[in-house]
Amino acid sequence: MGARVESRLSRRTAGWQVVVLAFAALVCAAPALANEASSVNAKPMVGVYYYPWYRAQGQRGASNWRQAMRQRLVPPQAPKLGRYDSSDPDVVGDHIAQSVRGGIAFWASSWWRPGDYTDTTLRDVILKHPDAGKLKYAILYESTGRLGTFARPDYSRWIDDLTYLQKTYFDHPHYLHIDGKPVIFVYLTREYFRNKGHEALREMREKFPNLYLVGDDVFGAGYRAEWARNFDAVTAYDVYGQSVGPHGGTRAALGLLATNYAAAKAAANSVGVAFMPTIAPGYNDTAVRKGHPGRARYFSDVEDSKEGDIFRAMIADVGLPNLDPKCGRIMMVTSFNEWYEDTQIEATAGTQPVSSKDDSDSGTAFTGGQQYVDYGPLYLDILREATQ
């Protein structure tokens, strides 16, 4: 993805026996989950991971849109706004309008460092836009760019970064608060703050006692309450790696994800920590890096499945049953506009035919022979209809 070299994914494999057992457990738990969901009316507060890092061609550090898989399709499928510049106020206004259409309440905006393009775009363009007040905003702290390697993390920037974020964002009237506390999402806490980094967390709590820290801490089965204690809420950025990635675009993959979430929510709640379920429409990063099978946005094991079916089912069967009143029933979406990994729900132009062909030598290296639809505002409308 653009400036990021590291993969977002922690790759794990599991046998089909595990999937079947997990799915069976989900079925057994379904009545209890349904009763809990209905008791709170199950209406989520929807947040999306937002990426203000795109630059138009000809700009310094211009984005390599060729790393977006849909630009490699034959014919290419483009965003509704074309190969846009994130700092263009017209782009920001359109993205806010799309978010309102989809029933989205806030953006967790990717932040790499003080003075970075992601920082100046959020600070000087997004938050100053005349329509900014239609949404709330939080920081997605890009830990891989600030805390070093997983094996030898460096926390020396951590407190200074939080000090900058506090001075620059936390008191802004449009910044997201939970229980009166400014919210910050930290990417890959399961790598940086599990069995390590405890002194950095202790110092954070001492200097920023009112910070609401959301850890990207849940991945796979067996989540432990002791891990959740470090945070005010826990969530999972990586939907693909624990569902359709290893198990394909199948119903069983979603059943496994729902089981993981239910167990993680129970573990977190047992120590007074909230849980935020995350959903995603699909995934394909094959134009950026090797090793992750691309997944289109329909079921491979459901006859006549159509575009958007996985997203619809993930909302209904994974997101809504695991909403948590402890954090205002927040449900996260990966993502609004991460085009490099094809997780975006941002509208496409909607003008091109369905394609399973790409511009690789084989003609299917990026698509894997799966069909990709120039879907227009489909995912915004699915999200609104399923959650409102």
Side-chain angles (χ1 to χ4, degrees), residues 13 19 30-31 34 36 40 85 99 117 122 133 176 196 200 206 272 283 322 339 352 371:
T13 58
V19 178
E36 180 181 351
V40 296
D85 171 6
S99 297
Y117 197 68
L122 176 61
L176 178 68
K196 64 181 76 168
E206 180 180 288
Y283 187 94
N322 286 297
W339 289 89
Q352 299 297 339
Q371 292 187 338

PDB file of all heavy atoms in Angstrom, residues 13 19 30-31 34 36 40 85 99 117 122 133 176 196 200 206 272 283 322 339 352 371:
ATOM      1  N   THR A  13      -3.104 -20.211   9.564  1.00  0.00           N
ATOM      2  CA  THR A  13      -3.885 -21.220   8.868  1.00  0.00           C
ATOM      3  C   THR A  13      -4.626 -22.039   9.897  1.00  0.00           C
ATOM      4  O   THR A  13      -4.238 -22.142  11.044  1.00  0.00           O
ATOM      5  CB  THR A  13      -2.987 -22.161   8.048  1.00  0.00           C
ATOM      6  OG1 THR A  13      -2.042 -22.769   8.929  1.00  0.00           O
ATOM      7  CG2 THR A  13      -2.253 -21.395   6.956  1.00  0.00           C
ATOM      8  N   VAL A  19     -12.839 -24.969  11.522  1.00  0.00           N
ATOM      9  CA  VAL A  19     -13.912 -24.123  11.007  1.00  0.00           C
ATOM     10  C   VAL A  19     -15.275 -24.722  11.332  1.00  0.00           C
ATOM     11  O   VAL A  19     -16.202 -24.043  11.776  1.00  0.00           O
ATOM     12  CB  VAL A  19     -13.771 -23.954   9.479  1.00  0.00           C
ATOM     13  CG1 VAL A  19     -14.916 -23.121   8.953  1.00  0.00           C
ATOM     14  CG2 VAL A  19     -12.437 -23.306   9.150  1.00  0.00           C
ATOM     15  N   ALA A  30     -26.208 -18.745  18.828  1.00  0.00           N
ATOM     16  CA  ALA A  30     -27.004 -17.774  18.076  1.00  0.00           C
ATOM     17  C   ALA A  30     -28.195 -17.240  18.842  1.00  0.00           C
ATOM     18  O   ALA A  30     -28.450 -16.032  18.839  1.00  0.00           O
ATOM     19  CB  ALA A  30     -27.449 -18.390  16.745  1.00  0.00           C
ATOM     20  N   PRO A  31     -29.002 -18.066  19.539  1.00  0.00           N
ATOM     21  CA  PRO A  31     -30.153 -17.507  20.246  1.00  0.00           C
ATOM     22  C   PRO A  31     -29.761 -16.471  21.288  1.00  0.00           C
ATOM     23  O   PRO A  31     -30.393 -15.423  21.400  1.00  0.00           O
ATOM     24  CB  PRO A  31     -30.792 -18.746  20.896  1.00  0.00           C
ATOM     25  CG  PRO A  31     -30.368 -19.887  20.025  1.00  0.00           C
ATOM     26  CD  PRO A  31     -28.977 -19.530  19.595  1.00  0.00           C
ATOM     27  N   ALA A  34     -28.744 -13.296  19.530  1.00  0.00           N
ATOM     28  CA  ALA A  34     -29.900 -12.608  18.968  1.00  0.00           C
ATOM     29  C   ALA A  34     -30.680 -11.888  20.056  1.00  0.00           C
ATOM     30  O   ALA A  34     -31.135 -10.754  19.880  1.00  0.00           O
ATOM     31  CB  ALA A  34     -30.798 -13.612  18.241  1.00  0.00           C
ATOM     32  N   GLU A  36     -29.503 -10.737  22.906  1.00  0.00           N
ATOM     33  CA  GLU A  36     -28.750  -9.564  23.355  1.00  0.00           C
ATOM     34  C   GLU A  36     -28.885  -8.431  22.357  1.00  0.00           C
ATOM     35  O   GLU A  36     -29.082  -7.281  22.731  1.00  0.00           O
ATOM     36  CB  GLU A  36     -27.285  -9.922  23.548  1.00  0.00           C
ATOM     37  CG  GLU A  36     -26.462  -8.717  24.008  1.00  0.00           C
ATOM     38  CD  GLU A  36     -24.994  -9.064  24.184  1.00  0.00           C
ATOM     39  OE1 GLU A  36     -24.643 -10.250  24.119  1.00  0.00           O
ATOM     40  OE2 GLU A  36     -24.207  -8.130  24.373  1.00  0.00           O
ATOM     41  N   VAL A  40     -30.995  -4.357  22.832  1.00  0.00           N
ATOM     42  CA  VAL A  40     -30.435  -3.006  22.739  1.00  0.00           C
ATOM     43  C   VAL A  40     -30.780  -2.350  21.407  1.00  0.00           C
ATOM     44  O   VAL A  40     -30.226  -1.353  21.024  1.00  0.00           O
ATOM     45  CB  VAL A  40     -28.900  -3.032  22.918  1.00  0.00           C
ATOM     46  CG1 VAL A  40     -28.531  -3.505  24.302  1.00  0.00           C
ATOM     47  CG2 VAL A  40     -28.222  -3.905  21.859  1.00  0.00           C
ATOM     48  N   ASP A  85      -6.781  13.627  -5.172  1.00  0.00           N
ATOM     49  CA  ASP A  85      -5.852  14.180  -4.191  1.00  0.00           C
ATOM     50  C   ASP A  85      -6.624  14.351  -2.888  1.00  0.00           C
ATOM     51  O   ASP A  85      -7.626  15.065  -2.833  1.00  0.00           O
ATOM     52  CB  ASP A  85      -5.330  15.519  -4.714  1.00  0.00           C
ATOM     53  CG  ASP A  85      -4.514  16.304  -3.694  1.00  0.00           C
ATOM     54  OD1 ASP A  85      -4.246  15.763  -2.602  1.00  0.00           O
ATOM     55  OD2 ASP A  85      -4.160  17.450  -3.992  1.00  0.00           O
ATOM     56  N   SER A  99     -20.233   9.531   3.117  1.00  0.00           N
ATOM     57  CA  SER A  99     -20.329   8.972   4.462  1.00  0.00           C
ATOM     58  C   SER A  99     -21.719   9.191   5.053  1.00  0.00           C
ATOM     59  O   SER A  99     -22.294   8.290   5.676  1.00  0.00           O
ATOM     60  CB  SER A  99     -19.256   9.574   5.365  1.00  0.00           C
ATOM     61  OG  SER A  99     -17.960   9.238   4.903  1.00  0.00           O
ATOM     62  N   TYR A 117       1.786  14.085   5.307  1.00  0.00           N
ATOM     63  CA  TYR A 117       0.633  14.455   4.469  1.00  0.00           C
ATOM     64  C   TYR A 117      -0.682  14.062   5.141  1.00  0.00           C
ATOM     65  O   TYR A 117      -1.687  14.783   5.039  1.00  0.00           O
ATOM     66  CB  TYR A 117       0.772  13.773   3.113  1.00  0.00           C
ATOM     67  CG  TYR A 117      -0.090  14.349   2.018  1.00  0.00           C
ATOM     68  CD1 TYR A 117       0.149  15.624   1.520  1.00  0.00           C
ATOM     69  CD2 TYR A 117      -1.123  13.605   1.461  1.00  0.00           C
ATOM     70  CE1 TYR A 117      -0.619  16.158   0.503  1.00  0.00           C
ATOM     71  CE2 TYR A 117      -1.902  14.119   0.432  1.00  0.00           C
ATOM     72  CZ  TYR A 117      -1.651  15.394  -0.040  1.00  0.00           C
ATOM     73  OH  TYR A 117      -2.416  15.905  -1.057  1.00  0.00           O
ATOM     74  N   LEU A 122      -5.590  16.089   7.416  1.00  0.00           N
ATOM     75  CA  LEU A 122      -6.625  16.050   8.451  1.00  0.00           C
ATOM     76  C   LEU A 122      -6.731  17.384   9.172  1.00  0.00           C
ATOM     77  O   LEU A 122      -7.830  17.927   9.357  1.00  0.00           O
ATOM     78  CB  LEU A 122      -6.320  14.924   9.446  1.00  0.00           C
ATOM     79  CG  LEU A 122      -7.264  14.805  10.643  1.00  0.00           C
ATOM     80  CD1 LEU A 122      -8.696  14.538  10.193  1.00  0.00           C
ATOM     81  CD2 LEU A 122      -6.787  13.720  11.605  1.00  0.00           C
ATOM     82  N   GLY A 133     -18.503  19.204  10.301  1.00  0.00           N
ATOM     83  CA  GLY A 133     -19.350  18.944  11.455  1.00  0.00           C
ATOM     84  C   GLY A 133     -20.402  17.879  11.243  1.00  0.00           C
ATOM     85  O   GLY A 133     -21.082  17.481  12.195  1.00  0.00           O
ATOM     86  N   LEU A 176     -13.862  12.756  18.048  1.00  0.00           N
ATOM     87  CA  LEU A 176     -14.682  11.719  18.676  1.00  0.00           C
ATOM     88  C   LEU A 176     -14.297  11.521  20.140  1.00  0.00           C
ATOM     89  O   LEU A 176     -13.114  11.355  20.465  1.00  0.00           O
ATOM     90  CB  LEU A 176     -14.507  10.398  17.922  1.00  0.00           C
ATOM     91  CG  LEU A 176     -15.260   9.182  18.485  1.00  0.00           C
ATOM     92  CD1 LEU A 176     -16.775   9.358  18.307  1.00  0.00           C
ATOM     93  CD2 LEU A 176     -14.789   7.895  17.804  1.00  0.00           C
ATOM     94  N   LYS A 196       4.739  -6.928  26.010  1.00  0.00           N
ATOM     95  CA  LYS A 196       5.823  -5.950  25.839  1.00  0.00           C
ATOM     96  C   LYS A 196       5.212  -4.559  25.870  1.00  0.00           C
ATOM     97  O   LYS A 196       3.995  -4.386  25.802  1.00  0.00           O
ATOM     98  CB  LYS A 196       6.569  -6.192  24.525  1.00  0.00           C
ATOM     99  CG  LYS A 196       5.715  -5.993  23.283  1.00  0.00           C
ATOM    100  CD  LYS A 196       6.447  -6.252  21.977  1.00  0.00           C
ATOM    101  CE  LYS A 196       6.625  -7.712  21.718  1.00  0.00           C
ATOM    102  NZ  LYS A 196       7.089  -7.981  20.322  1.00  0.00           N
ATOM    103  N   ALA A 200       5.615   1.773  28.403  1.00  0.00           N
ATOM    104  CA  ALA A 200       5.084   2.824  27.529  1.00  0.00           C
ATOM    105  C   ALA A 200       3.603   3.056  27.807  1.00  0.00           C
ATOM    106  O   ALA A 200       3.127   4.200  27.814  1.00  0.00           O
ATOM    107  CB  ALA A 200       5.314   2.460  26.064  1.00  0.00           C
ATOM    108  N   GLU A 206      -0.367   7.619  32.819  1.00  0.00           N
ATOM    109  CA  GLU A 206       0.021   8.629  33.805  1.00  0.00           C
ATOM    110  C   GLU A 206      -0.099  10.035  33.228  1.00  0.00           C
ATOM    111  O   GLU A 206      -0.598  10.952  33.888  1.00  0.00           O
ATOM    112  CB  GLU A 206       1.455   8.361  34.264  1.00  0.00           C
ATOM    113  CG  GLU A 206       1.993   9.327  35.290  1.00  0.00           C
ATOM    114  CD  GLU A 206       3.422   9.000  35.684  1.00  0.00           C
ATOM    115  OE1 GLU A 206       3.622   7.998  36.393  1.00  0.00           O
ATOM    116  OE2 GLU A 206       4.334   9.732  35.257  1.00  0.00           O
ATOM    117  N   GLY A 272     -14.061  -5.468  32.170  1.00  0.00           N
ATOM    118  CA  GLY A 272     -14.575  -4.108  32.046  1.00  0.00           C
ATOM    119  C   GLY A 272     -14.155  -3.366  30.804  1.00  0.00           C
ATOM    120  O   GLY A 272     -14.258  -2.136  30.736  1.00  0.00           O
ATOM    121  N   TYR A 283     -11.229  -8.225  -0.095  1.00  0.00           N
ATOM    122  CA  TYR A 283      -9.800  -7.933   0.071  1.00  0.00           C
ATOM    123  C   TYR A 283      -9.059  -8.406  -1.175  1.00  0.00           C
ATOM    124  O   TYR A 283      -9.268  -9.527  -1.649  1.00  0.00           O
ATOM    125  CB  TYR A 283      -9.228  -8.652   1.297  1.00  0.00           C
ATOM    126  CG  TYR A 283      -7.807  -8.274   1.634  1.00  0.00           C
ATOM    127  CD1 TYR A 283      -7.545  -7.283   2.557  1.00  0.00           C
ATOM    128  CD2 TYR A 283      -6.736  -8.904   1.021  1.00  0.00           C
ATOM    129  CE1 TYR A 283      -6.244  -6.918   2.869  1.00  0.00           C
ATOM    130  CE2 TYR A 283      -5.432  -8.550   1.323  1.00  0.00           C
ATOM    131  CZ  TYR A 283      -5.179  -7.561   2.246  1.00  0.00           C
ATOM    132  OH  TYR A 283      -3.894  -7.201   2.545  1.00  0.00           O
ATOM    133  N   ASN A 322     -22.614  -8.656  17.704  1.00  0.00           N
ATOM    134  CA  ASN A 322     -21.506  -8.430  18.638  1.00  0.00           C
ATOM    135  C   ASN A 322     -21.333  -6.970  19.024  1.00  0.00           C
ATOM    136  O   ASN A 322     -20.280  -6.590  19.552  1.00  0.00           O
ATOM    137  CB  ASN A 322     -20.218  -8.990  18.039  1.00  0.00           C
ATOM    138  CG  ASN A 322     -20.193 -10.505  18.080  1.00  0.00           C
ATOM    139  OD1 ASN A 322     -20.212 -11.106  19.154  1.00  0.00           O
ATOM    140  ND2 ASN A 322     -20.189 -11.130  16.910  1.00  0.00           N
ATOM    141  N   TRP A 339      -7.756   1.662  -1.111  1.00  0.00           N
ATOM    142  CA  TRP A 339      -7.824   1.094  -2.462  1.00  0.00           C
ATOM    143  C   TRP A 339      -6.704   0.095  -2.730  1.00  0.00           C
ATOM    144  O   TRP A 339      -6.852  -0.806  -3.557  1.00  0.00           O
ATOM    145  CB  TRP A 339      -7.780   2.216  -3.505  1.00  0.00           C
ATOM    146  CG  TRP A 339      -9.041   3.017  -3.532  1.00  0.00           C
ATOM    147  CD1 TRP A 339      -9.325   4.122  -2.780  1.00  0.00           C
ATOM    148  CD2 TRP A 339     -10.208   2.752  -4.301  1.00  0.00           C
ATOM    149  NE1 TRP A 339     -10.593   4.570  -3.051  1.00  0.00           N
ATOM    150  CE2 TRP A 339     -11.151   3.760  -3.989  1.00  0.00           C
ATOM    151  CE3 TRP A 339     -10.537   1.780  -5.251  1.00  0.00           C
ATOM    152  CZ2 TRP A 339     -12.416   3.799  -4.585  1.00  0.00           C
ATOM    153  CZ3 TRP A 339     -11.792   1.831  -5.842  1.00  0.00           C
ATOM    154  CH2 TRP A 339     -12.722   2.824  -5.506  1.00  0.00           C
ATOM    155  N   GLN A 352     -18.119   0.862 -15.802  1.00  0.00           N
ATOM    156  CA  GLN A 352     -17.437  -0.201 -16.533  1.00  0.00           C
ATOM    157  C   GLN A 352     -18.147  -1.550 -16.353  1.00  0.00           C
ATOM    158  O   GLN A 352     -18.831  -1.779 -15.355  1.00  0.00           O
ATOM    159  CB  GLN A 352     -15.987  -0.332 -16.057  1.00  0.00           C
ATOM    160  CG  GLN A 352     -15.147   0.905 -16.253  1.00  0.00           C
ATOM    161  CD  GLN A 352     -14.983   1.284 -17.717  1.00  0.00           C
ATOM    162  OE1 GLN A 352     -15.156   0.452 -18.609  1.00  0.00           O
ATOM    163  NE2 GLN A 352     -14.671   2.546 -17.962  1.00  0.00           N
ATOM    164  N   GLN A 371     -14.823 -12.361 -10.377  1.00  0.00           N
ATOM    165  CA  GLN A 371     -15.476 -11.231 -11.026  1.00  0.00           C
ATOM    166  C   GLN A 371     -15.466 -10.000 -10.120  1.00  0.00           C
ATOM    167  O   GLN A 371     -15.767 -10.098  -8.918  1.00  0.00           O
ATOM    168  CB  GLN A 371     -16.919 -11.582 -11.384  1.00  0.00           C
ATOM    169  CG  GLN A 371     -17.032 -12.637 -12.477  1.00  0.00           C
ATOM    170  CD  GLN A 371     -18.457 -12.832 -12.935  1.00  0.00           C
ATOM    171  OE1 GLN A 371     -19.408 -12.530 -12.233  1.00  0.00           O
ATOM    172  NE2 GLN A 371     -18.606 -13.351 -14.150  1.00  0.00           N
TER     173      GLN A 371
END
